[in-house]
Amino acid sequence: MNEKLILAGGGGHCKAVIDVVEKEGTYTIAGILDRPEMVGETVLGYEIVGTDSDIPKLAAEGYHFLVTVGQIASPKIRIEIFERIERHTDNIATVVSPLAYVSPHAEIGRGSVVMHHALINAGAMIGENCIVNSKALVEHDATVEAHCHISTGAILNGGTLVRIGTFIGSNAVSKEYVETKPFDFIKAGTLFKGHDNG
């Protein structure tokens, strides 16, 4: 029987994650958490059943959780929700689209989601609570630390180090073996050569 999953965050990113969860088939979505005024509404047919304050109760009932708040300007909200869940349960889901390719020699941290047609090659490491979005490429030996968002179509070339909390915009490309700063913001379409090289 599939594990019951609670999604924390009911916006646009949640819709994309629902599609991945349904396609993967490991979890059954039991409900969504969002703002109090949204309770009772639905997202793609799934009910918003409560708010973040319901996490302790739902954790005690054995549900699994996945943070489905998006991340652009700051990872702050995603981190806060992830840490709140972590205080109450170890049942934190990791979801990988069956349309993605993750090398058996790569690692994906708990709470992370790998979206449709993403590609994660050998030796790559993805930390906890990350988004590897649709059609992103994480090449060999690249490391993405916790709480990062690798946006649609972004390319991390071999050996890139993406530090904690960083946002890599859509279609951004990193040169090989460069390093971001913690909580960095790499704009969409950027050719990232590392901060020392401009």
Side-chain angles (χ1 to χ4, degrees):
M1 192 171 73
N2 289 0
E3 301 285 0
K4 302 293 187 184
L5 181 65
I6 298 292
L7 304 179
H13 178 60
C14 179
K15 291 180 181 178
V17 173
I18 285 170
D19 200 60
V20 174
V21 171
E22 290 178 339
K23 193 79 174 171
E24 186 192 39
T26 300
Y27 296 96
T28 298
I29 299 168
I32 300 167
L33 305 180
D34 208 296
R35 299 185 305 278
E37 65 270 22
M38 300 301 293
V39 173
E41 300 289 323
T42 61
V43 180
L44 301 185
Y46 298 100
E47 186 177 356
I48 297 173
V49 296
T51 69
D52 294 353
S53 63
D54 294 303
I55 287 170
K57 174 176 70 74
L58 293 165
E61 293 172 4
Y63 288 96
H64 287 66
F65 292 84
L66 183 65
V67 179
T68 50
V69 173
Q71 174 183 336
I72 298 178
S74 168
K76 182 173 182 286
I77 295 173
R78 282 182 59 84
I79 292 172
E80 288 175 354
I81 296 171
F82 182 81
E83 290 180 345
R84 186 168 192 169
I85 293 167
E86 200 175 30
R87 284 196 293 273
H88 296 285
T89 183
D90 290 326
N91 290 339
I92 298 175
T94 303
V95 177
V96 177
S97 167
L99 301 178
Y101 177 75
V102 177
S103 167
H105 306 289
E107 295 181 24
I108 310 292
R110 65 182 185 149
S112 290
V113 58
V114 180
M115 310 295 281
H116 298 321
H117 300 290
L119 178 57
I120 300 176
N121 268 331
M125 296 181 65
I126 309 296
E128 294 184 329
N129 193 34
C130 288
I131 304 166
V132 181
N133 221 320
S134 306
K135 296 193 174 182
L137 168 60
V138 181
E139 259 299 352
H140 67 86
D141 304 314
T143 297
V144 177
E145 293 183 347
H147 315 301
C148 292
H149 180 183
I150 312 304
S151 295
T152 50
I155 296 173
L156 302 181
N157 275 303
T160 298
L161 173 56
V162 179
R163 302 298 303 277
I164 184 170
T166 291
F167 173 83
I168 306 286
S170 294
N171 293 316
V173 178
S174 75
K175 290 193 71 176
E176 62 279 2
Y177 296 99
V178 294
E179 180 177 338
T180 74
K181 297 174 182 176
F183 301 96
D184 220 342
F185 186 93
I186 309 302
K187 292 192 297 186
T190 300
L191 174 58
F192 179 67
K193 301 178 181 179
H195 290 289
D196 293 337
N197 300 317

